[in-house]
Amino acid sequence: MAEIKLPPMGYLARDLTVSALLETGASFKIKGDIAELENVGNLEDVLKKFRETRSASLVKKSSSKFKKQTSYILEEDAGKVVEDFFNDDKEDYSYTLLLPELMEAERWYGGWNGGGKKKKSIEISKQSALLAWIALGLFTVFHYRVKKTDVIGIAPVDTIMEYQACRNLISEERIKARNIDKLSHMGRVFLFAMHYSDNVCQKLVVLKLSNHRGEIIEDDTFGSIEPIIRVWKNVNSKDEKDKERYLRLLNDQKLVDDHSSTDVFNKIANYVFEAVSGSVSPEQVAYFIARDTYLKDEAFGFITPRMVKRLKEGISLAVKQRLYSP
């Protein structure tokens, strides 16, 4: 049996570490801040898979300042890494996790400024650092660049919930949409929900990372986005093609350029959020969407009354499910 110390409760790093353990199929129990492992599952295969992801390039960017950590994560023989989990007698807490919330713990406004020299970064075990980086790569849901900044959406397990209920995590990058950078906060949640409607415990976190700075710009717990997820679960159970039709608002560049369709997508997301929050009725949402799409311009004719009706019914059912859930 091996024991690893987890990052502090409430940190994204902890969510990521537990997500990676679940993804490997490891047999483990968590007691406080300690994870007791009977085995590490298919960690070797998962590590190799991570090294092929785009997120591995983010580790490489830090290689000049954190050579010890990055060489372990990216270069050391995967079999030896797995062996270290059980055979390394000395816990090594010299691994600075290159993630925003740990950087923010240094009390730098807006995130971490990597240019400073007098820093006291939180240090964690190399096992937790490795697992957290693996999860950052494997649970990416979208990734785009704005100028020289990477914006990454990830879906780790929300460790506020009982992790035992989260054995079937979704680790595939499903979102293949354009113009995500033009979406509002609720627009991104709406986009996530339509693609991950079978999600039962994963939250949505959006990171903004550059060469010398990192910060969390959005952190949506599973509980906060579950109503939107339920809406899309209900809609997808009726017609999965509706998702692709709404995505035309983002993917049809002519529609985006000529009719500002990304704004329409954001409006629809806001209407649905207001409905599940109880501010407006599902019937009002249906009217608002119709008014802003096919009743306004024939360019939006692909959004049909039947589509809007299915979304209205999905909202109504989600509201009932929330009211009567234990």
Side-chain angles (χ1 to χ4, degrees), residues 234-251:
N234 297 333
V235 173
N236 286 335
S237 68
K238 293 286 185 66
D239 192 337
E240 289 190 354
K241 292 182 179 180
D242 279 1
K243 174 178 67 179
E244 300 304 323
R245 294 170 185 134
Y246 282 109
L247 282 174
R248 277 193 62 184
L249 295 170
L250 305 182
N251 294 334

Side-chain angles (χ1 to χ4, degrees), residues 236-270:
N236 286 335
S237 68
K238 293 286 185 66
D239 192 337
E240 289 190 354
K241 292 182 179 180
D242 279 1
K243 174 178 67 179
E244 300 304 323
R245 294 170 185 134
Y246 282 109
L247 282 174
R248 277 193 62 184
L249 295 170
L250 305 182
N251 294 334
D252 187 331
Q253 198 59 47
K254 181 174 175 55
L255 203 63
V256 172
D257 295 337
D258 296 347
H259 301 278
S260 300
S261 57
T262 51
D263 291 341
V264 176
F265 189 94
N266 286 329
K267 286 181 180 180
I268 293 173
N270 287 335

Side-chain angles (χ1 to χ4, degrees), residues 67-268:
K67 182 64 178 177
K68 175 182 176 182
Q69 294 93 323
T70 55
S71 61
Y72 169 69
I73 293 168
L74 294 178
E75 299 169 9
E76 192 163 327
D77 179 74
K80 187 176 185 303
V81 170
V82 174
E83 188 178 325
D84 283 349
F85 264 78
F86 291 96
N87 297 340
D88 200 346
D89 293 330
K90 294 181 180 179
E91 278 281 18
D92 185 349
Y93 290 94
S94 64
Y95 283 71
T96 302
L97 186 60
L98 314 178
L99 287 170
E101 87 292 359
L102 290 177
M103 297 166 181
E104 287 171 358
E106 299 171 25
R107 302 294 184 266
W108 284 83
Y109 178 75
W112 174 67
N113 184 345
K117 296 181 180 179
K118 296 181 179 180
K119 304 280 189 201
K120 291 184 178 179
S121 299
I122 291 177
E123 296 177 337
I124 61 175
S125 69
K126 65 180 182 181
Q127 290 98 329
S128 289
L130 172 71
L131 290 168
W133 270 112
I134 286 174
L136 181 65
L138 297 187
F139 292 95
T140 295
V141 297
F142 59 76
H143 185 172
Y144 61 88
R145 286 182 63 83
V146 178
K147 296 181 179 178
K148 295 183 179 181
T149 300
D150 288 280
V151 179
I152 305 170
I154 55 175
V157 62
D158 191 338
T159 52
I160 294 175
M161 304 176 63
E162 290 293 328
Y163 70 90
Q164 293 93 336
C166 303
R167 287 288 174 180
N168 296 314
L169 299 185
I170 305 168
S171 60
E172 57 188 285
E173 186 175 349
R174 295 181 176 178
I175 298 176
K176 306 296 182 185
R178 303 174 66 182
N179 296 297
I180 301 177
D181 59 307
K182 294 183 174 65
L183 295 184
S184 64
H185 173 209
M186 283 314 306
R188 281 188 282 267
V189 170
F190 195 66
L191 179 69
F192 173 74
M194 66 168 59
H195 287 86
Y196 291 81
S197 60
D198 50 343
N199 165 29
V200 296
C201 60
Q202 290 168 260
K203 63 180 186 175
L204 175 63
V205 180
V206 182
L207 310 175
K208 186 164 69 173
L209 304 173
S210 61
N211 288 340
H212 302 293
R213 190 176 181 84
E215 58 186 315
I216 297 173
I217 59 175
E218 295 170 19
D219 188 352
D220 300 289
T221 65
F222 177 77
S224 69
I225 62 177
E226 184 183 15
I228 309 296
I229 290 172
R230 286 185 177 183
V231 169
W232 272 104
K233 184 175 183 179
N234 297 333
V235 173
N236 286 335
S237 68
K238 293 286 185 66
D239 192 337
E240 289 190 354
K241 292 182 179 180
D242 279 1
K243 174 178 67 179
E244 300 304 323
R245 294 170 185 134
Y246 282 109
L247 282 174
R248 277 193 62 184
L249 295 170
L250 305 182
N251 294 334
D252 187 331
Q253 198 59 47
K254 181 174 175 55
L255 203 63
V256 172
D257 295 337
D258 296 347
H259 301 278
S260 300
S261 57
T262 51
D263 291 341
V264 176
F265 189 94
N266 286 329
K267 286 181 180 180
I268 293 173

Side-chain angles (χ1 to χ4, degrees), residues 29-44:
K29 293 181 181 179
I30 295 176
K31 296 181 180 179
D33 287 337
I34 301 297
E36 298 179 348
L37 283 71
E38 294 182 9
N39 60 65
V40 290
N42 62 337
L43 176 60
E44 185 173 347

